[in-house]
Amino acid sequence: MKKFGFLIMFISLAVVMGACSSNAQTTVKVGISGSDTTVWDFVAEKAKEKGINVEIVRFSDYVQPNLALAEGELDANAFQTVSYFDAFIEEHNLDLVPIATTVIAPMGLYSEKYDSPEELPDGATIALPKEATNMGRGLLLLQEAGLIKLEEHFDGNGSLDKIIENPKNLQFETLVAAQTPRVLPDVAASIINNGIAVDAGFSPLNDSIFHENETATPYINIIAVNKEDKDNEVLQQLADIYQSGDVKELIEEEYDGNQIPTFVPLDKIGW
């Protein structure tokens, strides 16, 4: 009888432990930069259904999230473009890799006078950010719009002498990025960074006459992890959740074109 009672207790304990195990959650720490957690809050809710507890860790700069990831304080981060990531890990000799793409915050070409790049007349003046990286991104945008052609193997650092074809003889007014919206009345068009455009009341998707899309691969944002974790099942599952249709719809509705969901294969971004 005692043996029977012990057996019942053992089975009951096993059932309880099994139930606890099935409800156990794996915690994943994800680092972001800034205070906007809208998308990751939504991803966290979806992940919870699959037994993944997402802990969002906020940073106020663009340096610490990568260092914290490399030191094992985070499991993943999601805040940076491919271009920034590639340069950072090379400079700091970090063993980090991307596991998924997320969004692009598109740079745009804006005009108060014309409705498309094709309408820009010969000799038109384009305002262009003068910082090397911003200018390089702007020149790539103009090339994508079919207005200029850049030298082969363009390295992304802006310089007007890297333009090898300019069939409309466009003129360029270079100025600090923050000034690019203010000169719109005085130029044919102006290239404006995403954040500056949004602050000026513009939607890149609705108000620009041309903007970046998924072909601007250096400027797509990514989810990054330590190289040793690139095949981790939980992190891959989290990446799949981010790239789901529900998250895509949320980004499109929430940001009105200020961020565009850009879910492309890693080989498209050089990985």
Side-chain angles (χ1 to χ4, degrees):
M1 188 67 180
K2 287 182 180 180
K3 290 182 179 179
F4 181 74
F6 177 78
L7 181 60
I8 294 297
M9 287 178 63
F10 180 80
I11 293 172
S12 299
L13 181 60
V15 169
V16 171
M17 290 180 65
C20 290
S21 175
S22 64
N23 292 326
Q25 295 224 329
T26 301
T27 296
V28 175
K29 290 185 177 181
V30 179
I32 67 167
S33 181
S35 58
D36 183 3
T37 60
T38 304
V39 176
W40 277 101
D41 285 340
F42 185 74
V43 170
E45 284 299 314
K46 290 177 66 68
K48 193 178 295 183
E49 299 170 6
K50 297 182 178 294
I52 304 171
N53 176 47
V54 177
E55 181 179 331
I56 302 166
V57 183
R58 295 185 295 183
F59 294 85
S60 59
D61 66 7
Y62 273 29
V63 174
Q64 294 305 312
N66 277 332
L67 298 181
L69 177 59
E71 291 167 6
E73 297 171 12
L74 302 172
D75 300 298
N77 68 38
F79 73 99
Q80 62 195 321
T81 65
V82 175
S83 177
Y84 179 84
F85 175 77
D86 287 347
F88 192 96
I89 64 171
E90 181 177 357
E91 179 183 354
H92 295 271
N93 193 29
L94 301 181
D95 240 358
L96 308 180
V97 296
I99 59 167
T101 58
T102 56
V103 299
I104 190 168
M107 175 180 270
L109 179 65
Y110 297 80
S111 177
E112 292 183 351
K113 305 175 180 70
Y114 305 100
D115 295 324
S116 71
E118 293 76 19
E119 290 184 14
L120 294 173
D122 290 351
T125 297
I126 309 292
L128 186 66
K130 70 177 183 180
E131 304 85 2
T133 53
N134 284 328
M135 184 189 291
R137 188 171 180 176
L139 292 175
L140 284 169
L141 180 67
L142 293 175
Q143 178 171 257
E144 185 67 24
L147 294 171
I148 62 171
K149 185 176 180 181
L150 299 169
E151 64 184 12
E152 193 174 1
H153 308 304
F154 177 62
D155 62 5
N157 288 311
S159 175
L160 296 179
D161 60 8
K162 295 181 179 180
I163 301 172
I164 60 172
E165 291 183 20
N166 182 4
K168 289 193 173 188
N169 192 31
L170 298 173
Q171 306 300 304
F172 298 97
E173 180 179 345
T174 60
L175 61 166
V176 295
Q179 299 296 322
T180 50
R182 300 177 187 178
V183 298
L184 270 171
D186 307 316
V187 296
S190 182
I191 292 177
I192 308 177
N193 287 59
N194 180 278
I196 294 169
V198 172
D199 288 344
F202 297 128
S203 163
L205 190 62
N206 300 319
D207 298 322
S208 69
I209 63 172
F210 192 80
H211 61 77
E212 290 172 332
N213 56 32
E214 64 184 38
T215 62
T217 52
Y219 310 112
I220 296 173
N221 283 257
I222 58 168
I223 300 173
V225 302
N226 279 289
K227 188 175 183 180
E228 63 186 23
D229 294 328
K230 68 184 180 68
D231 296 319
N232 180 281
E233 186 177 340
V234 173
L235 295 176
Q236 288 291 340
Q237 202 170 10
L238 190 64
D240 289 342
I241 292 169
Y242 194 106
Q243 293 188 338
S244 66
D246 288 349
V247 174
K248 179 177 183 290
E249 288 178 13
L250 173 73
I251 295 169
E252 290 171 341
E253 292 172 5
E254 185 72 22
Y255 295 100
D256 192 29
N258 300 335
Q259 293 184 21
I260 299 173
T262 311
F263 307 154
V264 300
L266 295 179
D267 60 4
K268 295 289 186 183
I269 61 169
W271 285 86

